[in-house]
Amino acid sequence: MQNQNTIIWDWNGTLLNDITICIDAINLLLSNRNKAAIDEITYREIFTFPVRDYYVKAGFDFDDEPFEKPALEFIQEYEKLVEGASLFDDARETLEYANRMGYEQMILSAMHHDFLMKLVRQHAIGHFFTRISGIGDHYASGKAEIGQQLLASLNGGRNKITLVGDTVHDHEVGKALGIDVILVARGHQSEKRLRQTGCRVVGTLGDLKALLQ
């Protein structure tokens, strides 16, 4: 990451450890529809953006109901469960380290912006970030557009920006924005899927610290 001075962080699965919560919430919805539950291995192999495609792979039938119905049910359940979610053990330490190294830090998330701000405040890490950008609805279609808006507000070249995330979509967003991407292989998608992107992949944020030097 030599000569790069800005880190754009993904939120879910990168800084916030909410994988188990997402699985519990989707399994509740599946149970209510008499459909089979999914385990973590399956989840990390089928989760994708836009999340509508993931719901289909999980077993939802949108000939029987509109996507918006389970999507809103999921958000309602997720918002109840996420109060108990924590940051990854090495997240705060890594944010502090990047701050000491002089990196400007931001968040770019496919979470609804207002709820994202609530969680950032809850975990008392807002002071690390100069900008925090979430989407305007609960349907998690993607974040390339708000990423473009974020970059448009910045000064300096895009070669000085790195996106850190945990999904193939983060690679796609980075490619669309013309910025570097590093993926962390303990979030919402498997390491195998992440490595297929050709991006640099690390196991933890602790591993990422070596690259910040």
Side-chain angles (χ1 to χ4, degrees):
M1 291 178 62
Q2 187 176 6
N3 297 324
Q4 295 176 328
N5 61 5
T6 300
I7 301 172
I8 300 178
W9 296 97
D10 171 58
W11 176 244
N12 304 84
T14 302
L15 296 175
L16 182 71
N17 185 0
D18 66 345
I19 292 87
T20 299
I21 285 171
C22 288
I23 296 170
D24 289 346
I26 204 70
N27 279 338
L28 176 63
L29 271 63
L30 289 168
S31 175
N32 290 342
R33 291 161 173 80
N34 297 314
K35 296 182 181 296
I38 60 174
D39 59 19
E40 182 175 334
I41 293 175
T42 301
Y43 173 79
R44 297 179 82 229
E45 289 300 327
I46 67 173
F47 180 76
T48 192
F49 288 91
V51 295
R52 188 186 192 283
D53 296 340
Y54 150 61
Y55 276 52
V56 171
K57 293 179 181 179
F60 291 87
D61 186 346
F62 297 132
D63 290 330
D64 293 339
E65 61 180 339
F67 162 65
E68 290 75 12
K69 185 176 186 295
L72 290 178
E73 288 178 16
F74 175 86
I75 290 299
Q76 291 168 356
E77 188 64 24
Y78 177 89
E79 289 185 353
K80 289 187 286 186
L81 295 174
V82 78
E83 297 294 332
S86 62
L87 300 177
F88 281 102
D89 290 343
D90 51 7
R92 191 180 303 272
E93 175 188 355
T94 305
L95 294 172
E96 291 173 347
Y97 183 79
N99 188 54
R100 292 197 303 271
M101 293 291 291
Y103 285 87
E104 182 178 9
Q105 301 184 79
M106 307 172 189
I107 293 177
L108 176 64
S109 175
M111 177 178 278
H112 188 282
H113 181 77
D114 293 343
F115 193 58
L116 171 63
M117 293 300 297
K118 176 184 176 181
L119 292 177
V120 170
R121 288 193 295 268
Q122 176 182 315
H123 292 285
I125 57 172
H127 60 285
F128 287 115
F129 309 108
T130 57
R131 292 173 174 82
I132 299 174
S133 297
I135 64 174
D137 58 45
H138 289 296
Y139 301 124
S141 58
K143 54 190 181 184
E145 183 176 350
I146 59 169
Q148 291 284 8
Q149 295 169 3
L150 179 62
L151 290 191
S153 69
L154 304 181
N155 296 320
R158 295 186 181 187
N159 62 322
K160 296 185 178 182
I161 304 171
T162 296
L163 172 63
V164 179
D166 71 307
T167 67
V168 172
H169 182 58
D170 290 308
H171 157 68
E172 294 168 345
V173 171
K175 186 175 181 180
L177 301 182
I179 60 177
D180 191 23
V181 177
I182 297 174
L183 300 175
V184 187
R186 63 177 178 190
H188 290 275
Q189 292 182 332
S190 67
E191 180 175 354
K192 177 183 176 181
R193 295 176 72 189
L194 300 185
R195 290 199 178 279
Q196 289 172 346
T197 67
C199 291
R200 286 177 289 180
V201 178
V202 296
T204 68
L205 296 185
D207 298 333
L208 177 68
K209 286 172 60 178
L211 300 179
L212 298 182
Q213 299 175 13

